[in-house]
Amino acid sequence: MKLRDIVRITIMTVIAFVLEMAGGYLSMVFGPYMLFINHSLASLIVAPVFFTLCHKIAKRGTLFFYYLIMGIIYSVMGFWPMIFILLATAIVAELIIGAPKNYHDNKRLTLTFVIAQLVFAMHGLIFFVVLKPEGLIKAFPDMFTAEAIEQMSAFYAQTVNVIAVIIIQILISYIGAKFGIYIYNKFFSKKDKAESVLD
């Protein structure tokens, strides 16, 4: 992988990060139900960037850098525990995608996207289990109030809620993958083919 590739991955990751944040804020519209779809909406709108990035770079390490850079951005913003979640997501994504040729295989990309985004989406539950309520307040002092922690405790204590989050995340990520493939084919696929002919 060349420096130019890493620069392109960084630029597209920043775009994806902005969309991820937008999806997170959009989920707040759903009030007390936002925990069910907290990361799902983000997965839906970030999918076109994900699929375009994979098709355009298509080199080993692309997804590792994508999720790692996103984790670094979160850390710079003060959400440092996210680096561990996104490092795990990066490793999972690379293991699933496998060989570089699979970056052009939409079925393998879809599987990678759905599972990687699921790992990413479980950050709330993972933090709650690992850090405990008191740890969450210390790690994210500007993000969680005692009331919010109490709501999270009640939510994640219900197994049915966790299962619902997983099912919703998988379903919406899959829809997002189809959307991402459509956007790539509609606006970028022909351009890539034209460039390869000129090469």
Side-chain angles (χ1 to χ4, degrees):
M1 185 175 290
K2 298 178 181 178
L3 178 61
R4 182 183 67 174
D5 296 321
I6 296 176
V7 171
R8 292 171 70 190
I9 292 171
T10 302
I11 292 171
M12 295 191 76
T13 302
V14 171
I15 295 171
F17 178 81
V18 171
L19 293 174
E20 291 273 0
M21 294 295 287
Y25 282 116
L26 185 60
S27 68
M28 293 181 182
V29 174
F30 294 88
Y33 300 102
M34 69 170 289
L35 287 174
F36 285 103
I37 58 169
N38 189 30
H39 192 69
S40 301
L41 295 180
S43 295
L44 181 64
I45 62 179
V46 80
V49 178
F50 180 95
F51 279 83
T52 301
L53 170 69
C54 289
H55 278 284
K56 283 189 170 292
I57 306 298
K59 293 181 180 178
R60 189 179 300 280
T62 296
L63 286 178
F64 181 84
F65 281 112
Y66 171 78
Y67 284 112
L68 179 62
I69 291 169
M70 197 169 288
I72 292 171
I73 296 173
Y74 271 110
S75 297
V76 170
M77 291 182 62
F79 305 122
W80 59 267
M82 286 298 293
I83 189 69
F84 300 108
I85 301 296
L86 284 154
L87 181 59
T89 306
I91 294 170
V92 168
E94 279 295 321
L95 289 174
I96 297 172
I97 198 65
K101 66 178 182 180
N102 292 330
Y103 278 99
H104 295 294
D105 182 345
N106 283 327
K107 289 183 178 179
R108 180 65 73 91
L109 281 176
T110 296
L111 178 64
T112 304
F113 180 73
V114 170
I115 295 179
Q117 289 295 107
L118 177 61
V119 175
F120 190 174
M122 290 293 100
H123 65 269
L125 175 61
I126 294 170
F127 289 155
F128 183 77
V129 171
V130 175
L131 297 177
K132 309 298 182 186
E134 58 276 10
L136 280 173
I137 294 176
K138 290 180 181 179
F140 305 104
D142 299 325
M143 186 173 180
F144 292 110
T145 62
E147 183 181 358
I149 293 296
E150 187 177 337
Q151 290 176 347
M152 286 181 64
S153 299
F155 181 83
Y156 288 123
Q158 301 294 322
T159 304
V160 66
N161 289 343
V162 177
I163 294 173
V165 169
I166 293 172
I167 293 173
I168 291 170
Q169 176 64 41
I170 290 173
L171 179 61
I172 296 183
S173 289
Y174 181 77
I175 294 171
K178 294 300 181 183
F179 177 57
I181 293 168
Y182 170 78
I183 293 297
Y184 171 75
N185 288 336
K186 181 75 173 178
F187 298 102
F188 301 105
S189 181
K190 292 180 181 178
K191 182 180 178 182
D192 288 347
K193 288 176 182 178
E195 288 176 352
S196 66
V197 170
L198 291 175
D199 291 340

